[in-house]
Amino acid sequence: MENKVLAIVNGVEITESDLESAIMRFPRERQSYLNSEDGKKQLLEEMIAFELVYNYAKDSGIEEEKEYIELLEKAKKEILTQTAISKVMNEVTVTDGEVSDFYKANEQAFVDPEMVSAKHILVETKEKAEEVISEINSGLLFEDAAKKYSSCPSNAQGGSLGRFSRGQMVPEFEEAAFGLNIGVVSEPVKTQFGYHLIKVEEKVESAVKKLDEVKDTIKNNLLQQRQAFKYSQLNNELKEKYTVKIF
């Protein structure tokens, strides 16, 4: 594919590939505009302006000025330091075997807890809760009863609380919800908020996540730990090699 020359500034070519590379350095949400005809024209003008100012700077002797030299040395120091750190960090590896060994030794850390999906109706008194149960037993849908009677904001969703695990609800509510069979409406359950009627829609048993589900997380965590140790080790070695005075 031909790499078309879009502009020449003081003998330096700006090509289509240069423009495409420049676009890729922008955030993704900005790239859509820059890939349009107007966007490319605007970016090309900016690239031309950059080359013009660069030539002006060189011809003006700015390279010999103290401020420029200090900034250049600072940039070189930062780049050199980051390159050295990257080189050392790239020496740190984690094998698939090590990931597997860690998983086997720490399976309990990768357990999905037991969960239930439930709906509820919250009212102020036990008497009112029993009245609502009576209506439900007479044919009123639980969801419609929640919309009609429940004082919880979940009433708009038919009383749905979604999925939750142990420890997320108050103890009385939790004990009742996890003890219910699917589809059964509980007796009134008293909590600090009032009286609840609970209906469990789904139960999810506790299960250990498979290795394939967590191997990337394990590998990244092990890599970060080892890199942190490697950096600390390097830092200590360099303190022995070079003079450090702290005041």
Side-chain angles (χ1 to χ4, degrees):
M1 183 178 176
E2 182 184 1
N3 188 19
K4 183 179 178 181
V5 176
L6 304 178
I8 300 175
V9 182
N10 200 30
V12 175
E13 295 180 348
I14 300 176
T15 65
E16 283 186 336
S17 64
D18 294 328
L19 189 66
E20 293 299 325
S21 295
I23 290 173
M24 293 304 295
R25 291 195 290 270
F26 282 84
R28 185 168 296 178
E29 59 272 15
R30 179 70 171 156
Q31 290 179 21
S32 57
Y33 168 72
L34 293 174
N35 274 308
S36 67
E37 185 177 349
D38 288 342
K40 287 182 177 180
K41 285 181 180 179
Q42 178 182 326
L43 184 56
L44 179 60
E45 286 296 326
E46 292 176 4
M47 294 174 72
I48 290 171
F50 181 88
E51 287 294 331
L52 289 171
V53 175
Y54 172 72
N55 280 275
Y56 162 76
K58 288 178 69 69
D59 292 344
S60 299
I62 291 177
E63 287 177 295
E64 307 302 323
E65 294 181 3
K66 180 181 178 181
E67 181 183 3
Y68 168 77
I69 294 172
E70 289 176 350
L71 288 172
L72 182 60
E73 287 302 314
K74 183 178 180 181
K76 285 171 63 177
K77 183 177 181 180
E78 290 177 355
I79 293 169
L80 187 58
T81 301
Q82 289 302 320
T83 303
I85 291 173
S86 294
K87 184 177 179 180
V88 172
M89 293 301 101
N90 287 337
E91 295 173 0
V92 179
T93 60
V94 176
T95 67
D96 289 342
E98 289 170 329
V99 170
S100 180
D101 289 343
F102 183 90
Y103 172 80
K104 291 174 183 176
N106 298 275
E107 278 192 2
Q108 292 307 308
F110 305 105
V111 175
D112 280 329
E114 177 187 9
M115 302 185 79
V116 297
S117 176
K119 297 177 179 178
H120 82 136
I121 299 169
L122 175 62
V123 295
E124 290 186 2
T125 66
K126 184 177 181 180
E127 291 73 23
K128 186 62 181 179
E130 290 173 343
E131 288 178 17
V132 176
I133 288 178
S134 179
E135 288 196 43
I136 292 172
N137 291 336
S138 297
L140 181 64
L141 290 176
F142 188 93
E143 295 74 16
D144 291 338
K147 292 176 182 178
K148 184 176 181 181
Y149 295 112
S150 182
S151 61
C152 177
S154 65
N155 57 12
Q157 289 77 47
S160 178
L161 298 171
R163 280 187 182 181
F164 55 89
S165 58
R166 293 185 184 275
Q168 292 184 264
M169 301 294 179
V170 293
E172 303 90 342
F173 188 99
E174 176 185 294
E175 183 179 353
F178 280 89
L180 278 173
N181 290 324
I182 293 175
V184 175
V185 179
S186 72
E187 293 298 315
V189 176
K190 184 180 180 181
T191 72
Q192 66 198 69
F193 303 107
Y195 288 84
H196 306 258
L197 301 177
I198 306 168
K199 181 182 177 184
V200 171
E201 301 283 300
E202 177 189 24
K203 287 191 171 186
V204 180
E205 296 298 324
S206 174
V208 178
K209 292 180 180 178
K210 295 180 180 179
L211 176 59
D212 285 345
E213 297 178 71
V214 296
K215 64 181 182 180
D216 289 341
T217 299
I218 294 174
K219 189 168 188 176
N220 288 336
N221 288 342
L222 289 176
L223 194 61
Q224 289 176 13
Q225 291 172 16
R226 292 182 183 183
Q227 286 178 338
F229 176 78
K230 182 73 173 179
Y231 182 80
S232 177
Q233 188 178 50
L234 173 67
N235 194 40
N236 290 332
E237 290 173 0
L238 295 179
K239 283 180 178 179
E240 295 294 326
K241 183 175 182 179
Y242 302 108
T243 301
V244 178
K245 293 182 180 181
I246 301 175
F247 301 97

